[in-house]
Every structure is written in C-alpha cells, then in structure tokens.
Amino acid sequence: MTEKRMSRWYFGGLASCGAACCTHPLDLIKVHLQTQQEVKMRMMGMAVHVVKNDGLLALYSGLSASLCRQMSYSLTRFAIYETVRDMMGSTSQGPMPFYQKVLLGAFGGFTGGFVGTPADMVNVRMQNDVKLPPELRRNYKHAIDGLFRVFREEGVRKLFSGATMASSRGALVTVGQLACYDQAKQLVLGTGMMGDNIFTHFLSSFIAGGCATFLCQPLDVMKTRLMNSKGEYTGVMHCLQETAKLGPLAFYKGLVPAGIRLIPHTVLTFIFLEQLKKNFGIRIIS
C-alpha cells in the first residue's frame, strides 16, 4: 500500500498569502513603476524614493488588500484547478495531458481574476497612494474600508473596473504558474534523477514563474493603468491605444521588478503549498 497526500481546496489561498507577505514590497515598487507616465526611475531608485519619503513601512502599504486579493483571486483559481485536476486524475490512468492543464488553468484563472477584481483594485490604489500629493490621497484605512468606500462613493461598477484585464491576466498567469508547474514537475520527476522533494518544487516553480511573467506582463501593465485611472480612459481599447503611443516597450514597463516579484512569489507559493499538502493534506491510501 502507498500513501499519497492531496491538497485541500483552500491550501492555494493560504500558500499565496504566505508568499504575498514576503514579496509585497516588490509588488508595490512594480505598481509605482507601471503608473509612471514617463520613465523617471528604475527599480532601486523607486525603492529608495519610497523609503526616503514615507518610511520603511510604506513598502507594506496595501498589505491588507494584497492578502484580501489572495484569499479571493488565488483561493478561487487554485480551488478550481486542483479540485478538477485531482478529480480527473482519480478517474483516469496517468496525469492529465498538458493541453487540458492549460484549458483548466485558463478557466480557473479567468474566474479567479473576476472574483478578485475589487480587492485587486483597492490593492493597486493603496500601493499607489503614497506617491500622490497629500490632498489627492484616498487614505483607505484597510482593504475592507477601501472596498466599502469605493462601493459607496463610486458604485458597484467601479469595483469591477478593469475586470476584463484582471480576468484575462488571471487566465494567463494561472496557465503560466499552475499548468507549467505541474508539467515542469512531471518532466523533472520523469527523468528519474530527482525525487519529489523541495529542490524539485523549487526548480519547477522557478520555470513556472518565468513563464507566467512573460505571458502576463502586457496585460498587467494595462490592468494597473485602468484600475488606477481617474476617468482618463474610456475603456480597454482606449487604454491600449494610449499605452501603445508610448512605444511597444511600454507594455513591458516594470518587467524586471515584475519578474523579481512574480518568480519568488511563485516559488514561495508552491513550496508553501507542497508543505501544506505534505503535512495537512487529505490522505489517500492505494
């Protein structure tokens, strides 16, 4: 008899929250770089600027919104992907084909992106608040206060501003992270040179993080601009046209900090997830 551990539906949300606590400062710097109209500062310059002007704790502005986003967006996409994958795996022989993982990841990510849009928008606003003049700051106390104030002052529709971008990005990043992680792990284990250990998890998640960064960066830039706008864009196409005027590289603005943030976030998420699964997962004896 062999014992196997399966993930519980909420493990993805918990693992993502753990990773978000570690990578939040990088996410904040990425948002600051993307919302510049002209490239005035690079990554280190922006980090020094934020710390000098607002203190070290300013790097954690919007952490509550980031955790709220992970418990809506990431929990949903992981729950859909892992539940369906494990269900299909138990009824068929061998692992799912890669194209099925891609389709499942896209569906899970699209759904998660839509569910997490309100928290994502508040997250972007709270992170960007510190670089605005004091009279223009929104000054949300925490994520719930931000959600309530947007609902009260701007209406339900504004809560889902940028939902198309967030859902599309969610689909791409989930394909890059979950589907590519599963496939990379399957290929690494298939070589027979490495076992199912933390080094395998690190290598597979590093590959997945790189794929996810490249796939979703253009959409991530547009999503950030739409969510942070104060009415200057009439819609997705208008935002696309305005961003395109800045040149093709504008869609990859903040790529290095996005990679520096998303790759460690992906690595930490899957390492935490595998440890949660190993120690607290559902026991399957076959």
Side-chain angles (χ1 to χ4, degrees):
M1 289 197 302
T2 57
E3 183 187 299
K4 197 171 82 171
R5 295 274 184 164
M6 283 173 68
S7 183
R8 298 180 190 273
W9 66 272
Y10 54 86
F11 279 2
L14 294 178
S16 297
C17 282
C21 289
C22 302
T23 61
H24 188 77
L26 294 168
D27 195 28
L28 178 129
I29 292 162
K30 180 202 71 171
V31 168
H32 282 218
L33 287 168
Q34 287 177 347
T35 50
Q36 290 182 111
Q37 280 303 315
E38 295 171 24
V39 180
K40 294 176 183 172
M41 291 186 200
R42 298 290 177 190
M43 188 183 166
M44 287 308 296
M46 185 64 80
V48 170
H49 175 75
V50 170
V51 172
K52 197 158 74 172
N53 281 16
D54 300 280
L56 195 62
L57 287 177
L59 290 172
Y60 279 89
S61 293
L63 179 62
S64 63
S66 183
L67 296 178
C68 183
R69 175 177 177 258
Q70 297 302 338
M71 288 306 288
S72 51
Y73 160 66
S74 283
L75 190 142
T76 304
R77 68 196 182 110
F78 270 93
I80 291 171
Y81 182 87
E82 298 219 307
T83 304
V84 175
R85 182 201 62 194
D86 292 343
M87 209 161 55
M88 288 179 72
S90 63
T91 56
S92 64
Q93 293 297 314
M96 285 171 68
F98 183 57
Y99 79 90
Q100 287 184 5
K101 292 175 188 171
V102 169
L103 293 173
L104 181 57
F107 174 73
F110 190 88
T111 309
F114 182 79
V115 170
T117 298
D120 198 7
M121 187 187 71
V122 172
N123 181 34
V124 167
R125 286 184 171 190
M126 287 177 77
Q127 288 176 349
N128 201 53
D129 229 24
V130 293
K131 82 179 219 191
L132 295 172
E135 67 276 7
L136 293 177
R137 291 182 184 179
R138 296 179 175 102
N139 293 319
Y140 299 148
K141 293 173 192 168
H142 44 74
I144 306 302
D145 176 55
L147 290 168
F148 180 71
R149 277 182 53 192
V150 173
F151 172 73
R152 191 182 60 198
E153 295 165 14
E154 301 173 64
V156 180
R157 285 191 68 182
K158 190 63 180 177
L159 277 173
F160 287 91
S161 170
T164 310
M165 283 293 107
S167 299
S168 304
R169 179 191 178 275
L172 288 175
V173 82
T174 306
V175 167
Q177 284 184 327
L178 277 70
C180 289
Y181 174 78
D182 268 0
Q183 195 66 20
K185 185 180 170 186
Q186 185 185 320
L187 292 171
V188 170
L189 291 174
T191 62
M193 294 166 66
M194 294 164 66
D196 192 358
N197 53 38
I198 200 162
F199 188 72
T200 299
H201 304 156
F202 172 82
L203 182 61
S204 305
S205 55
F206 189 88
I207 294 166
C211 294
T213 305
F214 184 77
L215 281 172
C216 71
Q217 186 61 14
L219 283 174
D220 196 29
V221 169
M222 286 178 61
K223 174 187 72 84
T224 302
R225 284 175 171 270
L226 279 167
M227 286 181 170
N228 201 51
S229 73
K230 291 185 176 177
E232 59 261 43
Y233 303 123
T234 55
V236 176
M237 287 309 296
H238 185 222
C239 180
L240 178 68
Q241 288 164 358
E242 291 299 308
T243 308
K245 285 178 185 175
L246 302 170
L249 290 179
F251 290 103
Y252 282 91
K253 190 184 280 185
L255 179 66
V256 173
I260 291 171
R261 176 252 163 193
L262 189 56
I263 293 171
H265 185 273
T266 306
V267 169
L268 289 168
T269 298
F270 284 108
I271 286 175
F272 289 154
L273 181 66
E274 293 284 2
Q275 291 304 308
L276 283 169
K277 195 192 298 185
K278 182 182 172 184
N279 294 290
F280 307 105
I282 303 164
R283 290 174 66 193
I284 305 290
I285 297 172
S286 57

